[in-house]
C-alpha cells in the first residue's frame, strides 16, 4: 500500500497531495501483526514520508510536517490498538479453554469398544467453532447390555446445553442401575420432567443391544437406521410415537419398547434431525436411507466421516442445525 502511494506520488508530483496516504500502512498494520510489526511499518512509513517530503520540497511549508505528524500519530494509535487486541485475544483464549473443558465433561468421548460392539460418533454443531449444542449422545456398557441414547434438545444456545447436561446426567446414572430399558426410560422421564420448565422438551431414542437383538424406546425422535449385512436398510419404528421427554404433563408419554434383530455384519445408526432435515439449494432433504452405502468403510470413524462430508456437500454450506450421528457395529 505504501509502495503504491510512493510510486504514484513520484510519478505525478506533489500537486495532488498523496503524501498523507502513506499513513494507511501503519493504520492497517495492527490488524494482522503484533507491536513489533506495527513499529516496523510505522518507521518505514515515517522514512518514506520524510523522503517523499524532501523529494517534493514539502518541508518548505507545513504540508510535510503535517504528514510526518500524521504518520507518528497513526502509528501510536496502532500500538494502542495492538495492545487492546492482544488483551481481548488472551481473554477469548481463556474463555475458549474453559468452554472446551466444559464440553469435554458434558459430551465425553464415547468408548470405541463397548461390550461386543464398536462405537463411533460424529457431531457437527451449527454454531461456528462450537463442539456441542443441543444434541446429545452417550454409550454405557451395562451388565444387561450396551445402552445408548441420542437426543435433540429444543432450542439452541446455553439453555440447550444445560438441558443436555440434565438428560445425560440422568441417563448415565439410570443406565447402570435399572434392570431393563423401560426402567431407564421411566427414570429419565422423571428427571427431565422435574427439571425442565415451560414448554421445553427433548426428543430422544434409547437403545439396548444384547445378543443378536436391539431394543428401542423412542421419545418422539427420528427412527434409527438399521443396515443389514447384505446392504439393505430399514427404519425400525414403534407402533405409536410417545411424547418427547419433558412433556409428561401433557399426556401419557411412556413409550412402548420395540425390538429388531441385530446380528454380526449389521450396523445401527442413531442420529438427530439435523441430518434428515438438512436441505440443499433446491430445498430437498438429505436422503439418509439412500446414502447408507457410504457406511461401508471398515473403520467406523472413517465411515461416519464419509457420511458427514456427503451431508455437507449436499447442503453446500454450513448446517442450520446441530447434527449428531452414533454408529454401532459388532467387533
Amino acid at each position: 500500500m505504501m509502495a503504491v502511494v510512493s510510486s504514484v506520488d513520484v510519478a505525478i508530483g506533489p500537486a495532488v497531495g498523496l503524501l498523507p496516504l502513506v499513513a494507511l500502512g501503519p493504520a492497517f498494520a495492527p490488524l494482522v501483526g503484533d507491536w513489533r510489526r506495527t513499529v516496523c511499518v510505522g518507521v518505514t512509513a515515517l522514512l518514506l514520508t520524510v523522503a517523499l517530503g524532501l523529494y517534493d520540497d514539502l518541508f518548505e511549508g507545513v504540508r510535510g510536517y503535517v504528514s510526518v505528524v500524521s504518520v507518528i500519530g497513526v502509528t501510536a494509535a496502532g500500538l494502542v490498538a495492538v495492545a487492546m487486541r492482544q488483551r481481548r485475544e488472551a481473554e477469548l483464549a481463556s474463555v475458549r479453554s474453559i468452554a472446551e473443558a466444559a464440553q469435554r465433561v458434558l459430551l465425553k468421548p464415547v468408548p470405541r469398544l463397548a461390550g461386543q460392539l464398536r462405537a463411533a460418533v460424529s457431531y457437527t454443531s451449527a454454531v461456528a467453532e462450537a463442539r456441542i449444542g443441543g444434541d446429545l449422545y452417550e454409550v454405557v456398557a451395562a451388565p444387561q447390555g450396551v445402552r445408548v441414547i441420542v437426543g435433540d434438545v429444543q432450542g439452541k444456545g446455553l439453555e440447550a446445553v444445560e438441558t443436555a447436561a440434565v438428560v445425560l446426567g440422568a441417563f448415565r446414572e439410570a443406565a447402570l442401575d435399572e434392570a431393563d430399558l423401560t426402567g431407564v426410560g421411566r427414570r429419565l422421564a422423571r428427571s427431565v420432567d422435574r427439571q425442565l420448565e415451560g414448554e421445553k422438551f427433548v426428543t430422544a431414542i434409547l437403545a439396548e443391544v444384547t445378543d443378536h437383538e436391539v431394543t428401542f424406546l423412542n421419545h418422539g425422535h427420528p427412527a434409527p437406521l438399521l443396515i443389514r449385512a447384505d446392504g439393505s436398510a430399514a427404519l425400525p419404528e414403534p407402533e405409536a410415537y410417545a411424547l418427547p421427554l419433558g412433556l409428561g404433563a401433557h399426556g401419557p408419554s411412556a413409550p412402548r419398547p420395540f425390538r429388531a434383530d441385530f446380528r454380526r455384519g449389521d450396523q445401527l445408526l442413531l442420529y438427530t434431525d439435523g441430518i434428515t432435515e438438512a436441505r440443499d439449494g433446491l430445498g430437498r432433504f438429505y436422503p439418509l436411507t439412500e446414502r447408507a452405502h457410504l457406511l461401508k468403510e471398515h473403520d467406523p470413524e472413517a465411515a461416519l466421516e464419509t457420511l458427514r462430508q456427503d451431508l455437507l456437500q449436499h447442503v453446500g454450506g454450513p448446517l442450520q442445525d446441530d447434527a449428531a450421528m452414533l454408529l454401532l457395529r459388532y467387533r
Side-chain angles (χ1 to χ4, degrees):
M1 192 179 299
M2 293 186 296
V4 171
V5 172
S6 301
S7 301
V8 174
D9 184 81
V10 170
I12 66 177
V16 180
L18 296 178
L19 190 57
L21 294 180
V22 176
L24 290 175
F28 283 94
L31 300 178
V32 294
D34 57 8
W35 67 270
R36 295 180 181 86
R37 181 187 181 94
T38 303
V39 169
C40 181
V41 174
V43 170
T44 303
L46 183 60
L47 294 176
L48 282 174
T49 302
V50 172
L52 291 174
L54 293 173
Y55 178 80
D56 295 332
D57 295 326
L58 297 179
F59 288 105
E60 295 180 358
V62 298
R63 291 175 60 187
Y65 296 102
V66 170
S67 298
V68 170
V69 172
S70 298
V71 170
I72 295 175
V74 171
T75 302
L79 291 173
V80 174
V82 167
M84 296 177 64
R85 177 175 59 83
Q86 289 180 335
R87 184 171 67 250
R88 291 195 182 100
E89 288 176 351
E91 293 174 352
L92 180 59
S94 177
V95 171
R96 282 180 174 173
S97 65
I98 295 173
E100 288 178 358
Q103 290 170 347
R104 286 194 295 269
V105 172
L106 177 57
L107 283 183
K108 301 176 182 178
V110 300
R112 298 189 64 181
L113 299 177
Q116 300 182 35
L117 302 180
R118 298 180 66 187
V121 166
S122 172
Y123 192 101
T124 305
S125 176
V127 180
E129 298 186 8
R131 294 186 181 179
I132 58 173
D135 289 359
L136 57 95
Y137 55 82
E138 185 58 288
V139 177
V140 176
Q144 298 82 0
V146 177
R147 292 171 172 174
V148 302
I149 182 173
V150 170
D152 187 358
V153 179
Q154 174 217 15
K156 297 180 180 180
L158 291 178
E159 290 187 358
V161 175
E162 292 174 358
T163 303
V166 170
V167 176
L168 287 173
F171 175 78
R172 287 165 180 159
E173 183 178 353
L176 293 173
D177 293 344
E178 298 296 331
D180 54 30
L181 194 63
T182 303
V184 175
R186 284 197 300 264
R187 189 162 164 181
L188 188 60
R190 288 196 302 267
S191 297
V192 174
D193 288 340
R194 283 197 303 265
Q195 300 192 50
L196 294 191
E197 299 177 354
E199 297 296 325
K200 296 179 182 179
F201 62 87
V202 181
T203 67
I205 184 166
L206 284 70
E208 178 182 86
V209 180
T210 55
D211 291 336
H212 308 305
E213 187 179 64
V214 56
T215 304
F216 298 103
L217 283 179
N218 195 319
H219 292 269
H221 198 76
L225 179 64
L226 187 57
I227 307 168
R228 298 299 183 187
D230 60 4
S232 61
L235 298 170
E237 295 186 84
E239 295 181 359
Y241 277 86
L243 291 175
L245 297 168
L247 298 181
H250 297 271
S253 60
R256 294 183 178 180
F258 60 103
R259 296 171 175 81
D261 293 335
F262 186 56
R263 302 183 181 277
R264 298 192 181 278
D266 295 345
Q267 300 185 82
L268 178 63
L269 180 69
L270 307 177
Y271 56 91
T272 58
D273 59 9
I275 304 293
T276 52
E277 294 183 1
R279 299 173 182 259
D280 62 8
L282 300 178
R284 295 173 297 191
F285 291 111
Y286 182 69
L288 179 61
T289 305
E290 298 175 12
R291 298 294 202 272
H293 65 278
L294 296 176
L295 296 173
K296 62 184 178 181
E297 296 281 349
H298 176 73
D299 181 65
E301 284 84 4
L304 278 187
E305 181 60 21
T306 300
L307 187 62
R308 191 182 79 90
Q309 291 299 329
D310 185 71
L311 172 68
L312 295 177
Q313 185 176 1
H314 173 84
V315 175
L319 297 179
Q320 300 301 311
D321 194 7
D322 299 330
M325 295 182 287
L326 172 64
L327 181 65
L328 297 178
R329 296 175 175 175
Y330 278 103
R331 293 193 187 185

